[in-house]
Amino acid sequence: VVNNQQQAQVALVLSAPAKVTNHLVALVEQTSRGLDASETLAQIEGIFTHLIAGLKSKYPALDDSKLKARMELEFAGVRRQMQGITLLGQCPDNIQAQILSRGEALSIACMHELLSVRGHEVVLIDPVKLLLAEGGFLESHVNIDVSRARFQAEPLKTEAVYLMAGFTGGNEKGELVLLGRNGSDYSAACLAACVSAECCEIWTDVDGFMTADPRVIKSAYTINELSYIEAMELCNFGAKVIYPPTIYPVCV
Ligand code: ASP
Ligand code: MG
């Protein structure tokens, strides 16, 4: 990001740290069934505590107390929502969307601090305000035309790094909705389309491109080397042939 930012304007879309969303899904599920999910919540807190401690050890000037306070605030909110779910014996979709998106919210807070301590100006993009999402609370899709018009109305500051939480958008009432599991790649593609980006790079923590979906084709293997152009060509034959993508170029 820092290198690219010297050449061109960069916007960064973040997902939750690994395992966090799965833990949040488990938390909602356990609480809805009347089970005590405090252990699951502790695991999520542990992931962020570890992450913040790592940032602080690498960047002593980083304001970790601010991040910890933000984390406490988010988890206090989740605890209150868990009490409500316990009383109801079920979790309404709007509450579920809010809980499941906490991983992204905290990712953004951590990256914001990290970029700030490294001297970068950061501008947050609120996907709930700018990405108009249509569908239910848990699996909406983005209305690109309306969202693009909203982005065009926002003046862009070229010297800043833009940061946006993935996985979320806002419905016509301005309520937070989810774009479906693994939706952050989609968020990035939507953002790229809305700002007519020259390129959209997806970085995923997997071993690489595979020749096929290994759940379907047992003989699928990871491709050793793949140029950007080849990857694009493969994508043009249909995303299904490549699974799961490390760099998934999206033409905008
Ligand atoms: N964190 C969300 C999920 O696990 C979105 C994503 O990873 O793209 O589904
Ligand atoms: Mg993810």
Side-chain angles (χ1 to χ4, degrees), residues 161-182:
V161 177
Y162 281 77
L163 257 188
M164 185 181 94
F167 191 35
T168 46
N171 63 17
E172 71 287 351
K173 289 187 188 156
E175 298 164 313
L176 182 150
V177 305
L178 300 180
L179 305 178
R181 286 305 308 273
N182 302 310

Side-chain angles (χ1 to χ4, degrees), residues 92-109:
D93 286 353
N94 61 333
I95 302 298
Q96 187 167 342
Q98 287 169 19
I99 295 177
L100 299 196
S101 63
R102 291 311 83 198
E104 274 71 13
L106 284 170
S107 273
I108 291 294

Side-chain angles (χ1 to χ4, degrees), residues 25-36 85-86 89-91:
V25 169
L27 176 142
V28 167
E29 207 243 342
Q30 290 158 355
T31 314
S32 307
R33 282 167 47 212
L35 301 172
D36 175 16
I85 299 169
T86 306
Q90 61 181 7
C91 182

Side-chain angles (χ1 to χ4, degrees), residues 39-242:
E39 188 48 45
T40 309
L41 186 60
Q43 277 175 313
I44 304 166
E45 282 174 306
I47 293 172
F48 282 106
T49 304
H50 183 71
L51 190 65
I52 296 168
L55 288 172
K56 179 70 182 172
S57 71
K58 183 126 191 300
Y59 298 97
L62 183 125
D63 191 353
D64 61 331
S65 54
K66 186 169 146 200
L67 274 181
K68 283 184 201 157
R70 172 69 191 275
M71 186 177 88
E72 300 297 332
L73 192 78
E74 293 292 350
F75 292 127
V78 171
R79 273 194 202 90
R80 272 197 307 278
Q81 286 168 321
M82 285 164 74
Q83 285 166 2
I85 299 169
T86 306
L87 287 174
L88 287 172
Q90 61 181 7
C91 182
D93 286 353
N94 61 333
I95 302 298
Q96 187 167 342
Q98 287 169 19
I99 295 177
L100 299 196
S101 63
R102 291 311 83 198
E104 274 71 13
L106 284 170
S107 273
I108 291 294
C110 292
M111 184 58 83
H112 192 170
E113 274 314 304
L114 173 57
L115 288 169
S116 299
V117 83
R118 291 189 54 151
H120 294 276
E121 190 190 342
V122 176
V123 174
L124 296 182
I125 297 175
D126 183 355
V128 180
K129 283 210 189 103
L130 290 172
L131 290 182
L132 174 65
E134 295 167 339
F137 279 103
L138 303 178
E139 207 146 343
S140 272
H141 58 269
V142 174
N143 181 323
I144 297 289
D145 290 338
V146 173
S147 306
R148 181 181 277 139
R150 289 176 176 179
F151 273 93
Q152 275 163 0
E154 298 270 314
L156 289 179
K157 270 187 160 181
T158 36
E159 65 287 358
V161 177
Y162 281 77
L163 257 188
M164 185 181 94
F167 191 35
T168 46
N171 63 17
E172 71 287 351
K173 289 187 188 156
E175 298 164 313
L176 182 150
V177 305
L178 300 180
L179 305 178
R181 286 305 308 273
N182 302 310
S184 295
D185 295 1
Y186 176 53
S187 298
C190 291
L191 175 60
C194 287
V195 299
S196 304
E198 269 168 39
C199 123
C200 171
E201 290 184 14
I202 307 284
W203 294 64
T204 303
D205 49 355
V206 293
D207 297 334
F209 276 92
M210 295 189 82
T211 49
D213 183 341
R215 293 170 301 189
V216 181
I217 311 287
K218 292 279 166 272
S219 57
Y221 60 92
T222 309
I223 300 167
N224 275 339
E225 257 179 48
L226 190 66
S227 74
Y228 211 72
I229 302 293
E230 284 166 334
M232 289 243 204
E233 279 166 1
L234 281 172
C235 288
N236 287 340
F237 282 119
K240 292 277 183 309
V241 289
I242 315 157

